[in-house]
Amino acid sequence: MSTYVLVPGAWHGGWAWHPVARELESAGHRVIALTLPGLSVGDDPAAVTLSDASEYVAGEVERRDLGEVILVCQDSSALPVTAAAHRVRRRLARIVHWGGFVPVAGESVLDTIPTADADMLTGAAKAAGGDSVLVPVHRWRANFLNTAPEHVQDLAYSLLRPQPMAYFTESLDPAEAAVPDLPATYVVGSADQSLPHDDDWYDPKYTARLGIRPVVIDACHAAFFAEPHLLAGALDKVGS
């Protein structure tokens, strides 16, 4: 079967993928879930850059000598994953975007999200010292894990780590941001409230960059907590 390398988005570690990984493993796949630099307990978020994240992803694929990999990114991890994909292209079979961005050169995460959201994150980072930021709990409940009961929202929130601001403020160069020469899938949840969307849910500027239509599932943005079976099912289809 397939080998999946799962990369979580902002505030999460590889642990967030465990419910999805369990289902993919039950279907016979090999699964590796990564935690980007700066997002483990004890890491210094001021010491990492976006390049560190992309080098880490590419380095793990190389170090483990993986082949025919389905490389899955979520949310903001699309930036380092896209850059990494060019470095390990010969080892990849497909790239999958789950509920997140599709980068362009010179555009950071703060550049692509609505101005009010960018201002909120920047202000929260300054209040916390400037090097990292944690999503406010009210936004987590309303926009990221909105389909889950409150006790699940709160438990998941307690596991989040502050995101290094470099992952939000830095961007890719043209070679790194180019759409990799790989088959691509864009999966999104119909209940995802984290990104701008039209009546078909998805923001056309992201899927248009890939030249594809999205695969829509009945899930929220943080579906690995609330609807892992649906997300795992969507991922399983591209690898079976």
Side-chain angles (χ1 to χ4, degrees):
M1 301 295 278
S2 298
T3 296
Y4 289 81
V5 174
L6 309 176
V7 187
W11 306 296
H12 298 79
W15 51 265
W17 284 107
H18 288 182
V20 171
R22 187 176 298 114
E23 298 212 19
L24 289 174
E25 288 170 336
S26 294
H29 303 295
R30 181 183 183 188
V31 184
I32 297 164
L34 304 181
T35 297
L36 295 179
L39 283 158
S40 293
V41 174
D43 285 356
D44 178 6
V48 297
T49 66
L50 189 59
S51 291
D52 291 330
S54 59
E55 289 173 7
Y56 171 72
V57 174
E60 284 298 292
V61 173
E62 292 279 9
R63 183 181 70 83
R64 297 169 187 262
D65 194 23
L66 304 178
E68 291 298 305
V69 170
I70 296 175
L71 185 56
V72 182
C73 56
Q74 190 250 352
D75 194 81
S76 60
S77 70
L79 276 70
V81 163
T82 299
H86 293 290
R87 303 180 192 186
V88 292
R89 167 65 186 86
R90 65 186 180 86
R91 295 181 177 272
L92 306 182
R94 177 176 294 270
I95 187 168
V96 179
H97 294 262
W98 157 241
F101 309 105
V102 176
V104 293
E107 182 181 83
S108 70
V109 170
L110 292 185
D111 292 330
T112 193
I113 64 178
T115 301
D117 291 340
D119 290 345
M120 178 270 293
L121 290 172
T122 301
K126 287 181 178 178
D131 297 327
S132 63
V133 63
L134 186 62
V135 59
V137 65
H138 67 275
R139 183 167 179 80
W140 171 254
R141 290 171 176 159
N143 296 81
F144 290 82
L145 197 49
N146 45 293
T147 61
E150 186 172 325
H151 71 278
V152 174
Q153 295 173 339
D154 291 346
L155 175 60
Y157 188 79
S158 73
L159 299 172
L160 303 182
R161 298 291 302 168
Q163 179 84 347
M165 277 303 285
Y167 293 171
F168 285 153
T169 61
E170 296 180 359
S171 60
L172 304 181
D173 66 31
E176 294 172 321
V179 175
D181 180 23
L182 285 164
T185 303
Y186 192 100
V187 183
V188 71
S190 60
D192 189 329
Q193 298 298 312
S194 68
L195 296 173
H197 54 276
D198 62 15
D199 290 340
D200 292 326
W201 192 92
Y202 77 108
D203 187 322
K205 77 178 180 181
Y206 296 133
T207 47
R209 292 171 185 176
L210 299 173
I212 58 177
R213 295 283 297 179
V215 174
V216 183
I217 62 175
D218 187 17
C220 65
H221 188 74
F224 26 53
F225 301 126
E227 298 94 7
H229 56 294
L230 295 178
L231 180 53
L235 297 179
D236 180 45
K237 285 182 180 179
V238 304
S240 298

